[in-house]
Amino acid sequence: MYHNGQLIVHDLQFQDHHDHHVPVQIYCGKEHSDIGFVEHYSHVFVKVNNVFYNRRQFTFVSRPGY
């Protein structure tokens, strides 16, 4: 189980969020960029809302119950 606000950084965490349809919130620095479901991920990018986000540039946060 993931907690609201928990950082998502590992492949297994992205896979869990994808498999269980748990939303993630995306930040660029401290600024909110997007929120949605993981459609696809790789070691470089995470696709949310048909947009590819670079895992090195953006921060991903778990938002269960959103």
Side-chain angles (χ1 to χ4, degrees):
M1 176 54 89
Y2 291 93
H3 301 286
N4 192 24
Q6 182 176 345
L7 291 179
I8 306 301
V9 295
H10 301 291
D11 285 348
L12 181 58
Q13 293 172 313
F14 286 108
Q15 185 66 50
D16 284 345
H17 280 71
H18 175 269
D19 292 347
H20 300 288
H21 305 288
V22 177
V24 296
Q25 190 166 8
I26 303 164
Y27 290 90
C28 184
K30 293 184 178 184
E31 193 162 321
H32 167 80
S33 296
D34 203 354
I35 192 166
F37 298 99
V38 175
E39 299 169 25
H40 183 74
Y41 70 94
S42 71
H43 67 281
V44 178
F45 292 99
V46 176
K47 184 179 179 185
V48 174
N49 295 329
N50 211 30
V51 177
F52 289 91
Y53 293 96
N54 188 306
R55 287 173 63 169
R56 292 184 182 176
Q57 182 179 357
F58 293 90
T59 302
F60 301 87
V61 177
S62 183
R63 292 294 185 214
Y66 179 80

